Amino acid sequence: MAEFDYDLFVIGAGSGGVRASRIAASHGAKVAVAEEFRVGGTCVIRGCVPKKLLVYGSHFAEDLADARRFGWDTSGATFDWPTLRDNVAAEVDRLEGLYGQTLGNAKVEVFRERAVVAGPNMVQLASGRTITAANILIATGAWPGQPPIPGAELGITSNEVFHLPALPRRAVIAGAGYIANEFAGIFNELGVEVTLATRGDKMLRSYDQEIVGKLLDISRHKGIDVRLNFPFRAVTRQADGSLLVDGGDAGPIETDLVLWAIGRVPNTKGLGLEAAGIALDGEGAVVVDAYNRTNVPSIYAVGDVTNRVQLTPVAIREGHAFADTVFGNNPRTIDYSAIPTAVFSNPPIAGVGPTEDEARALYPELKVYRSDFRAMKNVLADRPERALYKMLVDGATDRVVGLHLIGPDSAEILQAAAIAVKAGLTKAQFDDTVALHPSMAEELVLMR
């Protein structure tokens, strides 16, 4: 590979790109990565990490209210948005520094500028410099979408929401996925009047709809105005500075902030991929094979830019597998089955395996077990919301094929339980496990 400047050039220093760079370098490759924004990518800089910190911050609203039932005097407690916002930003800065150290320790050269593909073995930097590489990896992630309607530019996306100078009095959150539901919960707990609206007739389509139905009921009980079948027509600025969202026959909504959370599109625009002959699908995603290779043999792609499974842990695994395959003499692929996922809504939901509707089509002898209960903390706090755990079992083999939860700490509980689903454990093996009492997780081994 001596005729090239680098063995590997990575475009994008997000989770997948950083992992691929580090592992390739550990296999002896000469590696460089270009990042036009900040090292760490969406998850670390403007995604799951800062969002989860906002989720934690918003939980104190209910915790402080509940504390009175536990004997605590919380009178006089106040909330200051700039304090939370700035502390979250400082943590993001710290993590970005650590990601940079990781690349530096691995002897990966970092170009902090935009790079585009200029050929099968060539990239061009924004500064004009041309660099050659034996292999190129596209790891540019995805970008928040906006609807093609008049006034869409008056709204913001998840890219900007972490930097609001002040919280709005009212907010319309447009979308039906995890980002929309998570920010609806965050803003609602922080005192914002929230309307959660979507064009469709369902929320969180990829999750078990019985679980989603309970989330919507609880969300509405907490004061979130959830509107389905809301056809966004336009957004206009009113004389007093507020926004008017035109919902056609569904009526208008006056608000102070519109947050577009309608999905994320692969970030391939302007990267030179078409000119290089790289195949894209109808949504602009890079088409790759099981080994993350495009139709151009020297060019690969991992993570959200491929639009396979838009999850940070998946991008990390894809980046690692790519590096092992190309530079570690260890060809391997990723198993996309039984991936646990969560929505950090209020309360959170989590699931692994097919939903009940999907499982009924796959397993003719499907058995469904449920536990509908009120968490002990909620009982003493006099909070009425209930948790729901569902276990899906293939009656022909007794194997647990799916778990779907809504309730406090659902994601924390599901992570360990997902191992059992991935391993193919049976309902009898769950039943044979002694319950850890008192806990919410014990419901997983008590369903009869």
Side-chain angles (χ1 to χ4, degrees):
M1 299 184 185
E3 68 269 26
F4 299 108
D5 297 323
Y6 296 94
D7 301 325
L8 172 65
F9 195 98
V10 180
I11 302 179
S15 298
V18 168
R19 177 60 65 90
S21 299
R22 181 173 68 81
I23 299 303
S26 74
H27 290 313
K30 183 180 180 182
V31 183
V33 58
E35 174 54 58
E36 64 178 314
F37 184 54
R38 299 178 67 181
V39 173
T42 295
C43 181
V44 172
I45 303 300
R46 52 194 174 196
C48 37
V49 170
K51 176 201 63 189
K52 186 68 179 293
L53 293 173
L54 292 186
V55 169
Y56 285 137
S58 68
H59 279 184
F60 283 100
E62 289 187 355
D63 289 344
L64 287 168
D66 293 347
R68 299 185 185 98
R69 292 277 299 177
F70 288 83
W72 289 91
D73 180 3
T74 58
S75 57
T78 60
F79 172 71
D80 182 64
W81 164 250
T83 298
L84 175 59
R85 178 199 63 202
D86 294 350
N87 285 341
V88 169
E91 175 62 9
V92 168
D93 290 344
R94 185 185 73 84
L95 292 174
E96 182 187 15
L98 292 178
Y99 269 67
Q101 288 178 26
T102 295
L103 291 173
N105 292 340
K107 304 296 189 293
V108 174
E109 186 169 0
V110 179
F111 294 92
R112 293 183 178 271
E113 56 183 306
R114 181 174 176 81
V116 299
V117 177
N121 300 99
M122 186 179 297
V123 298
Q124 184 168 18
L125 301 179
S127 58
R129 179 180 172 184
T130 298
I131 294 175
T132 61
N135 298 278
I136 298 170
L137 177 67
I138 310 299
T140 50
W143 198 253
Q146 292 190 8
I149 63 172
E153 72 280 359
L154 296 174
I156 67 170
T157 70
S158 56
N159 284 354
E160 299 84 34
V161 71
F162 300 102
H163 309 290
L164 292 174
L167 287 178
R169 182 171 66 85
R170 302 164 297 181
V172 169
I173 301 177
Y178 66 94
I179 295 175
N181 280 274
E182 288 168 344
F183 276 106
I186 291 168
F187 280 155
N188 181 65
E189 292 302 317
L190 296 182
V192 178
E193 296 177 20
V194 175
T195 300
L196 178 60
T198 178
R199 292 178 182 271
D201 60 352
K202 292 181 180 179
M203 291 282 185
L204 297 165
R205 290 181 179 274
S206 64
Y207 283 83
D208 187 275
Q209 287 303 297
E210 185 179 5
I211 297 289
V212 172
K214 183 170 279 288
L215 173 63
L216 294 189
D217 288 343
I218 294 173
S219 295
R220 284 172 167 147
H221 184 267
K222 289 178 182 291
I224 298 174
D225 181 6
V226 180
R227 303 194 190 186
L228 305 177
N229 301 304
F230 186 88
F232 288 88
R233 299 287 174 79
V235 181
T236 55
R237 178 83 65 185
Q238 302 190 106
D240 64 356
S242 64
L243 301 175
L244 185 68
V245 181
D246 180 2
D249 293 340
I253 305 175
E254 288 192 350
T255 188
D256 303 300
L257 175 75
V258 174
L259 171 60
W260 301 118
I262 59 174
R264 298 176 62 81
V265 296
N267 190 17
T268 54
K269 192 173 296 183
L271 282 179
L273 304 187
E274 297 94 335
I278 299 171
L280 304 178
D281 68 12
E283 297 181 355
V286 180
V287 178
V288 294
D289 64 15
Y291 292 94
N292 303 293
R293 175 176 273 174
T294 71
N295 60 305
V296 178
S298 58
I299 300 179
Y300 299 76
V302 298
D304 292 0
V305 75
T306 67
N307 203 26
R308 288 174 289 184
V309 179
Q310 290 192 357
L311 292 171
T312 294
V314 173
I316 290 171
R317 286 186 174 231
E318 289 173 351
H320 201 136
F322 153 78
D324 284 347
T325 298
V326 177
F327 299 102
N329 195 30
N330 178 26
R332 62 188 187 88
T333 60
I334 300 300
D335 179 5
Y336 294 96
S337 65
I339 296 174
T341 60
V343 180
F344 295 101
S345 47
N346 186 14
I349 69 176
V352 62
T355 65
E356 180 179 347
D357 289 342
E358 294 168 340
R360 289 197 181 281
L362 295 171
Y363 306 102
E365 299 181 43
L366 184 73
K367 295 181 180 180
V368 180
Y369 297 86
R370 293 175 177 84
S371 178
D372 188 319
F373 63 97
R374 193 151 61 127
M376 182 183 294
K377 179 186 175 184
N378 287 344
V379 173
L380 191 58
D382 199 26
R383 191 172 292 279
E385 66 188 63
R386 301 178 66 83
L388 173 63
Y389 289 5
K390 291 180 65 175
M391 178 180 288
L392 309 180
V393 178
D394 177 11
T397 63
D398 197 43
R399 184 167 62 91
V400 177
V401 297
L403 289 171
H404 303 279
L405 322 177
I406 179 171
D409 299 319
S410 289
E412 307 295 338
I413 292 168
L414 184 75
Q415 178 65 86
I419 299 171
V421 175
K422 183 75 171 179
L425 299 190
T426 64
K427 178 66 166 63
Q429 288 172 312
F430 271 76
D431 294 345
D432 285 344
T433 304
V434 175
L436 194 162
H437 181 76
S439 70
M440 292 177 290
E442 69 179 312
E443 298 296 327
L444 293 174
V445 301
L446 297 177
M447 297 185 195
R448 297 291 188 267

